[in-house]
Amino acid sequence: APTVVQACEEEHILLPHPARDRGFPLRIVDLSACPAAAHLPGLKRLLERHSRDRYLLACVLDKAAGGGLQGRLQLCLERRATDADLLTAVLQVAHFRELAGGQPPPDAERVELWLRESLRLARGEARRFQKAMELEGWQISRERMTHTNALPYVLDPDWSRRLKEVDR
């Protein structure tokens, strides 16, 4: 019998499956459920890193059962996020996992470097990736994703003011 991964590849189905995660499973979460955004300094770091994006990608580090660390990726989508933004986020996740090399995270500083570098790579390849997807027959919407997409976030002007006050 074929494995789930083999079936996905044969049928061209994208399923979140642990065999594809390489130690960094991805979940789409509400911004309020993201530990990296639980405090203003953490939220500010996320927003600064993703200042040009309509999504936030964070890595949550936990203690592994046998010692060391394990990581989970969390994706928060802004209310105005488009299919193209989601593709960029998925591309960033792929680059992040490639930088990690299937290994557990050594420390928070290395994870932050992987997040920044994967974002740089994803931004640089996003349009080419989107064009390649369209050539393969995928329809990529340049408009806002539908209301059925999970848990979008919105930052109002009051949040912007409060984030600026963090540095004072």
Side-chain angles (χ1 to χ4, degrees), residues 54 78-83 85 141-149 152:
R54 291 186 183 134
E78 187 186 76
R79 181 183 57 190
R80 299 175 298 139
T82 65
D83 288 352
D85 297 314
S141 171
R142 287 168 182 76
E143 298 173 10
R144 198 183 108 190
M145 293 168 37
T146 68
H147 69 282
T148 58
N149 289 295

Side-chain angles (χ1 to χ4, degrees), residues 36-54:
H39 303 286
L40 284 178
L43 178 60
K44 184 174 182 182
R45 269 193 308 278
L46 277 173
L47 291 172
E48 285 173 349
R49 183 184 327 124
H50 289 281
S51 63
R52 300 181 347 215
D53 307 307
R54 291 186 183 134

